[in-house]
Amino acid sequence: MKYRIFRSIYILFTTCTILLNSTSSHAASKEYALKAAFIEKFPRFISWPHNNSTQEPDTVFNICVIGKNPFNGMLDKVASISTIKNNPVLVKQITVIDKISRCQILFIATTTNDRLRKILAQTKGQPILTISDTTGYAQHGVLINFYPRKNSIGFEINKRASEQSRLSISSRLLKLSRIVESSGDKP
Amino acid sequence: MRLSLGACTLTIFSTLLIPAVYGKTSANEVEDLLSLSLEELLNVPITSTAYFEEDSLHVGSTVTVISEQDWQHRGARRLHDALLSQPALTIHTNFLGQYSVRIRGFAQSDARGIETLWDGVPLASYHVATSDLDRPNIQLNTLDSIEVIRGPGSAFYGAGAFHGVISLNSFDSDRDTTQSSLGLASNGYYSGAVKLSRSIGQDHRLNLAISTNGQPDQNFTYDYTDTGSGLPASNERDYHYNSYTISAKLKSDPHKTWSYNIGLYYDLNDQDDFHGNGRSAPDIDTSDNEAGLGMGKISITRKLDTNRSIEFQSYHWRQEHDFDRFLSVGGNRLNIHGEETRSAAKLIYRHDKLFGNTQLGLALGHRHEKINDAHRTITNPSGGVIAEGDLLFKGLNRTITSLLMDNKTTFMNNDLTLRYGFRYDDYSDFGKQTTPRLGLIYALGKQETIKLLYGNAFRAPTAVEIGGNAFITGNPNIQPETIDTYELVYMRQTKNSKFEAVLFTSRWKDSILAIDTNNDGNPDVFANTGNNNSKGLEISYDVHIGKWAHQINGSYVSSTNEDTNEDYVAFPKYIINIGTGYRINKSLSFYMQNRLMLKAQNGPGEGNFTTNELPTYWRTDLNLTQKIDKKTVIYANIRNLFNRKNYLSSLVDMEGGARDEEVSLEAGIRYTL
């Protein structure tokens, strides 16, 4: 019996030692790899107005993140291997709200309601594709919001917000999405 | 000596696999994902469990999600095929054409306690609470995914979830789609399915899935020793079946203050000439089973605010079955007709942000189950009735009132997660029982966690164990059985790989088994038999490297009856699954799955039966998938590619074990509108 205990401890110790000695990595999770892939795909189904910089040659397509960046380099990987609208992609971290006007895509990390209102006030009427992954943000006016589905990720689109932003969203993208209304649109 | 060998094996297994995990991280999952279409991205799976959405790093149990794509890669035709890639899990063919799941050892003829859930509704019957898949052939084509929980789940799912849970998630789309599929195989197997999702108005959606499959007579030869002459002999079984499944669900927009889900489900499974009760009548060892299930389910959710909601769930199901098999003497046949109903209601309160760091789930439930009919008929070879009558458990009913709490609290800037909860059940026939659950999850980094999990489970006796069946006497004084399980889990998930190692130990107390009290070699009465234990290691590693995908897992399991000091020899000591996929180009890919099982005997060796070690089980399945255009996919599956003569342990002690299937080729098409 005594030997059985020793052997059990040996098994536990050996396995834990091997496992715990491994190095730690801070690469992004599968969830955010998936969201980054979605973000790269969305512009193929969205048209920006003609006077927007996406139409100009030798310009960059700016994907901005405001708030704590949850992608852990996944968006940078997208930028390094993809072009969007035939333009190279640049990922920018935004700390000051006033600086978002050069963004074609703005990912809004979870924030306070006050700050969200300020951000959306700044993007209102601008051809900026706002994206988030926080429950209720689409209803607040974010254009595309990721939501968890059973075992996968889905996205919802605030159609009215997209019309106000002068972005034209293809029917294919709309068909794949769940359409939501702004909180203020509800009767 | 046995443990010493186990310790060495664990060490070698861990040492070999760990460098593989950390040596291959150069490939990029983003690149792989970018090659997918928007539609395909929407179908990339992530994990969900219990009352809260959770990623696999922080889930408070050992759970694996098997996606539709996973089982399609492996050429799975029936429900049990989809589970064949799991470590520490075996599927045994059982009499009446049922497929018995055993998890982490304890492979004996009549072990209960693996719950099958269909969209969250428990199906394990009051009649037998069997760990045979309770509807043996709910069609894979009507499902989105399967979640497998290894270890006790009673604290969340109730008494049926004693050793583990098989949770089936039916087709549920958020966008308009029509999908159809058709498959035909060289052994006559056929399958056909239609799945449809349509929005109804702005806020409602219908999801419908209809599927059928089956196979004609297989004329599958089996060998046995003739009981009269003692000479080798052989006979045939047909393994003929036809199955149908329908799920129809109507739901409303879950973002609204009020939302609902209504579901109607139906499953019918007709199986003829599967194997019978093992060696008791080997020359006529066949059995038939026709079983049907109809179910209705409704849930209504009221959002109280952004963090709180209250949900009412209710379901009712009715199962009916006709079991038919030869008895050992004179070619007489036994038929058992049974009907059973269950109704349940539950009220769930969820709070996602209590005190800022706690997710709270509270549920109050009530369930009533009844054996409406249990009737036995014995007929002679010319069809004349020899004996007929109701079984003693006909009319038995039970009510269970439950209180359930499932909480998650985070500390240390979310690095430490405490999962805790309990289930309190008040049985009308067995009094009160509390089953606790506790888990400590520590994040070593953003992609690494270590978990220490404890789960307790309780199972009240079934109607058969109390009232007896045609062969085994019931025991009204029988007491519930319990199990305690401890798990140490290490998990690491990088951008292109996932590694998990689980060390577990379980102690199963007062196990309910059929025992032989008159020493004639055949079990004759149900009783609490004492204690058992199981321990082992499970390791799994999934990685994507460029165009390659590898899914490798393995387990070492040792389970013992402490009273007799005998091992549960029908469960293989070692299971190894190796899956390899390669994307040849954007439209063509292949996937090869190898499953090996080592060190298993041909049966549990109960009663007078002696057992022999089976040769190593090694089966190779191959899948080829060709995307013709955006809407059309064709595929070919070859099962048992090298036509190896594999044998599985037979829980009814069939001589030499149960022969696995021969090589067969299936070709099919999937079309999406």
Side-chain angles (χ1 to χ4, degrees):
Chain A
M1 185 63 193
K2 192 169 73 176
Y3 291 107
R4 285 192 170 201
I5 292 168
F6 282 134
R7 281 171 188 152
S8 299
I9 292 169
Y10 168 71
I11 293 167
L12 196 70
F13 177 78
T14 308
T15 310
C16 290
T17 306
I18 293 166
L19 297 177
L20 294 174
N21 279 344
S22 59
T23 54
S24 167
S25 164
H26 296 277
S29 69
K30 184 173 183 178
E31 180 189 342
Y32 279 96
L34 189 55
K35 288 174 181 173
F38 271 117
I39 289 172
E40 191 264 356
K41 289 278 184 291
F42 287 149
R44 301 177 195 196
F45 307 96
I46 293 173
S47 301
W48 270 257
H50 285 295
N51 58 354
N52 187 265
S53 56
T54 57
Q55 307 297 321
E56 298 166 13
D58 303 324
T59 56
V60 293
F61 189 97
N62 292 307
I63 299 178
C64 308
V65 178
I66 190 159
K68 191 178 177 186
N69 187 335
F71 288 93
N72 287 305
M74 287 293 168
L75 280 176
D76 298 296
K77 189 68 192 174
V78 167
S80 70
I81 59 178
S82 293
T83 59
I84 297 180
K85 304 279 183 192
N86 293 321
N87 292 319
V89 181
L90 189 64
V91 178
K92 287 180 177 175
Q93 180 69 43
I94 301 288
T95 49
V96 182
I97 293 175
D98 298 347
K99 302 282 184 191
I100 60 181
S101 57
R102 295 289 295 170
C103 304
Q104 277 75 46
I105 290 178
L106 177 67
F107 183 88
I108 305 170
T110 307
T111 184
T112 60
N113 285 349
D114 253 11
R115 186 166 164 80
L116 178 65
R117 265 195 295 274
K118 284 176 190 167
I119 295 166
L120 292 176
Q122 193 72 22
T123 59
K124 195 170 184 181
Q126 299 288 323
I128 298 171
L129 173 61
T130 50
I131 300 175
S132 61
D133 62 353
T134 307
T135 307
Y137 272 25
Q139 286 84 347
H140 279 96
V142 172
L143 246 140
I144 296 180
N145 185 51
F146 294 112
Y147 68 92
R149 292 193 314 168
K150 192 185 282 182
N151 299 330
S152 61
I153 293 171
F155 57 89
E156 51 196 12
I157 292 180
N158 184 325
K159 210 171 165 186
R160 186 165 175 190
S162 74
E163 287 159 5
Q164 288 171 344
S165 69
R166 296 182 288 133
L167 297 175
S168 171
I169 299 179
S170 81
S171 58
R172 185 175 163 198
L173 191 61
L174 290 170
K175 201 174 166 185
L176 294 173
S177 72
R178 188 168 67 187
I179 305 296
V180 299
E181 297 169 347
S182 299
S183 312
D185 297 341
K186 289 178 186 171
Chain B
M1 183 61 195
R2 238 180 2 250
L3 274 173
S4 174
L5 179 66
C8 290
T9 309
L10 296 179
T11 309
I12 293 164
F13 205 6
S14 307
T15 312
L16 285 175
L17 273 178
I18 304 289
V21 176
Y22 302 108
K24 295 181 178 176
T25 54
S26 58
N28 195 305
E29 191 173 28
V30 174
E31 274 186 68
D32 286 343
L33 290 168
L34 290 178
S35 69
L36 300 178
S37 71
L38 206 56
E39 288 83 354
E40 287 167 330
L41 286 174
L42 284 164
N43 290 318
V44 174
I46 56 172
T47 306
S48 72
T49 59
Y51 287 154
F52 315 115
E53 293 289 340
E54 291 179 306
D55 62 67
S56 53
L57 279 173
H58 296 90
V59 67
S61 51
T62 307
V63 59
T64 307
V65 179
I66 306 169
S67 69
E68 184 180 23
Q69 192 183 34
D70 287 338
W71 70 65
Q72 285 175 352
H73 276 158
R74 296 188 175 98
R77 295 175 189 172
R78 305 183 79 186
L79 183 55
H80 63 273
D81 292 330
L83 307 175
L84 284 175
S85 57
Q86 298 300 300
L89 184 150
T90 54
I91 307 287
H92 305 261
T93 61
N94 211 335
F95 70 118
L96 303 169
Q98 303 199 69
Y99 289 86
S100 298
V101 181
R102 297 291 185 266
I103 293 176
R104 293 177 173 174
F106 304 132
Q108 55 195 7
S109 61
D110 60 352
R112 326 285 184 196
I114 291 173
E115 185 64 270
T116 306
L117 305 170
W118 197 5
D119 278 345
V121 175
L123 302 183
S125 67
Y126 179 29
H127 178 191
V128 286
T130 178
S131 55
D132 300 338
L133 286 174
D134 286 84
R135 309 278 8 115
N137 204 18
I138 287 175
Q139 307 278 296
L140 284 173
N141 279 326
T142 65
L143 302 179
D144 276 348
S145 64
I146 302 170
E147 291 174 36
V148 180
I149 297 174
R150 301 189 299 277
S154 289
F156 196 81
Y157 299 107
F162 194 74
H163 294 297
V165 179
I166 311 291
S167 178
L168 314 175
N169 301 314
S170 69
F171 171 67
D172 195 339
S173 178
D174 281 334
R175 57 195 170 84
D176 287 1
T177 181
T178 304
Q179 301 166 30
S180 57
S181 64
L182 184 68
L184 293 169
S186 57
N187 64 348
Y189 166 85
Y190 67 89
S191 73
V194 176
K195 292 191 280 190
L196 181 144
S197 183
R198 289 283 180 279
S199 62
I200 301 173
Q202 268 211 320
D203 298 332
H204 309 272
R205 176 164 291 278
L206 174 71
N207 284 301
L208 177 69
I210 302 172
S211 178
T212 180
N213 71 8
Q215 66 184 25
D217 293 353
Q218 298 298 296
N219 302 322
F220 203 62
T221 304
Y222 71 95
D223 300 321
Y224 65 95
T225 305
D226 184 77
T227 46
S229 65
L231 295 172
S234 64
N235 205 341
E236 285 185 349
R237 299 188 186 102
D238 288 342
Y239 292 100
H240 176 134
Y241 72 88
N242 295 295
S243 302
Y244 313 88
T245 305
I246 300 172
S247 70
K249 301 191 291 187
L250 187 66
K251 65 179 183 180
S252 67
D253 183 350
H255 281 78
K256 304 280 183 187
T257 306
W258 287 92
S259 61
Y260 69 85
N261 271 282
I262 298 171
L264 292 172
Y265 305 78
Y266 178 72
D267 180 70
L268 181 67
N269 190 30
D270 185 5
Q271 309 195 116
D272 293 326
D273 224 30
F274 278 66
H275 75 70
N277 200 27
R279 279 191 261 181
S280 55
D283 54 330
I284 47 172
D285 187 39
T286 60
S287 62
D288 305 335
N289 176 11
E290 186 174 357
L293 169 85
M295 182 169 84
K297 181 190 167 201
I298 184 167
S299 75
I300 299 167
T301 304
R302 165 89 163 90
K303 277 189 176 175
L304 302 173
D305 55 36
T306 51
N307 294 319
R308 295 181 306 141
S309 68
I310 193 157
E311 181 182 352
F312 171 76
Q313 291 180 354
S314 182
Y315 68 81
H316 174 83
W317 60 241
R318 182 172 180 275
Q319 294 192 32
E320 192 172 340
H321 61 255
D322 267 296
F323 300 155
D324 200 58
R325 72 174 178 87
F326 280 109
L327 293 172
S328 55
V329 185
N332 295 333
R333 281 185 82 86
L334 167 72
N335 173 274
I336 294 177
H337 174 78
E339 287 176 33
E340 179 175 345
T341 52
R342 180 181 295 164
S343 306
K346 192 191 282 185
L347 199 62
I348 305 164
Y349 172 75
R350 293 181 180 87
H351 196 313
D352 286 342
K353 234 174 184 171
L354 186 67
F355 311 126
N357 67 341
T358 296
Q359 286 180 293
L360 167 81
L362 262 180
L364 183 65
H366 185 76
R367 133 177 166 185
H368 177 258
E369 50 201 21
K370 184 176 181 185
I371 307 288
N372 302 79
D373 196 8
H375 190 81
R376 178 187 69 159
T377 309
I378 299 175
T379 51
N380 60 28
S382 56
V385 176
I386 298 171
E388 191 176 12
D390 289 338
L391 294 167
L392 288 174
F393 55 83
K394 180 182 174 180
L396 271 186
N397 66 87
R398 169 186 282 169
T399 57
I400 310 165
T401 303
S402 307
L403 177 68
L404 187 152
M405 189 178 81
D406 183 36
N407 291 350
K408 181 167 101 173
T409 300
T410 55
F411 305 96
M412 300 166 61
N413 203 22
N414 295 334
D415 282 346
L416 184 67
T417 303
L418 183 65
R419 288 300 308 259
Y420 52 103
F422 72 90
R423 184 187 182 97
Y424 169 82
D425 291 308
D426 186 358
Y427 280 69
S428 59
D429 49 355
F430 284 99
K432 300 167 179 60
Q433 183 72 28
T434 305
T435 44
R437 172 190 185 192
L438 189 64
L440 206 56
I441 301 161
Y442 182 69
L444 300 169
K446 284 192 175 176
Q447 308 310 133
E448 285 177 289
T449 51
I450 191 157
K451 309 176 188 179
L452 188 60
L453 309 173
Y454 164 72
N456 171 266
F458 153 87
R459 188 180 74 79
T462 63
V464 162
E465 288 158 347
I466 298 165
N469 60 23
F471 308 98
I472 301 171
T473 308
N475 182 350
N477 299 318
I478 204 163
Q479 294 300 306
E481 56 186 10
T482 60
I483 192 166
D484 290 296
T485 297
Y486 297 88
E487 296 169 276
L488 179 65
V489 184
Y490 170 80
M491 190 176 278
R492 176 185 168 89
Q493 192 170 317
T494 71
K495 56 194 173 188
N496 67 327
S497 70
K498 182 179 165 187
F499 173 80
E500 183 180 46
V502 182
L503 265 175
F504 68 87
T505 178
S506 295
R507 191 139 195 268
W508 176 17
K509 299 170 192 163
D510 298 323
S511 54
I512 301 170
L513 297 170
I515 57 168
D516 176 15
T517 56
N518 53 16
N519 296 318
D520 68 348
N522 293 310
D524 51 74
V525 67
F526 287 106
N528 295 102
T529 60
N531 300 334
N532 309 268
N533 68 64
S534 167
K535 51 180 131 357
L537 173 71
E538 301 157 350
I539 290 180
S540 59
Y541 175 50
D542 295 355
V543 64
H544 293 259
I545 304 170
K547 293 181 173 183
W548 290 92
H550 303 283
Q551 293 173 305
I552 304 163
N553 64 60
S555 59
Y556 165 80
V557 175
S558 173
S559 56
T560 308
N561 182 322
E562 292 178 6
D563 294 348
T564 61
N565 206 28
E566 287 178 359
D567 285 349
Y568 287 98
V569 292
F571 195 90
K573 278 247 186 306
Y574 304 93
I575 297 175
I576 299 168
N577 298 298
I578 302 169
T580 301
Y582 182 72
R583 201 173 61 226
I584 296 161
N585 55 44
K586 279 193 173 177
S587 59
L588 182 63
S589 63
F590 84 83
Y591 195 91
M592 181 180 279
Q593 172 77 23
N594 282 281
R595 180 165 172 89
L596 289 92
M597 293 191 282
L598 301 89
K599 301 276 179 197
Q601 305 270 321
N602 65 291
E606 292 172 358
N608 285 335
F609 299 125
T610 53
T611 59
N612 298 305
E613 187 165 317
L614 291 172
T616 297
Y617 175 102
W618 184 351
R619 184 169 127 183
T620 305
D621 299 334
L622 181 70
N623 161 264
L624 278 166
T625 302
Q626 169 82 53
K627 202 171 178 179
I628 303 294
D629 55 37
K630 286 178 181 174
K631 294 178 177 175
T632 315
V633 171
I634 57 171
Y635 64 88
N637 298 316
I638 305 174
R639 284 151 67 97
N640 196 4
L641 179 65
F642 303 113
N643 202 23
R644 282 178 60 96
K645 212 169 180 179
N646 286 312
Y647 290 89
L648 297 150
S649 296
S650 158
L651 298 180
V652 289
D653 278 305
M654 286 165 67
E655 187 179 346
R659 171 113 184 255
D660 196 21
E661 63 187 82
E662 294 173 329
V663 63
S664 66
L665 167 71
E666 181 197 356
I669 185 167
R670 298 186 192 103
Y671 185 74
T672 304
L673 282 174

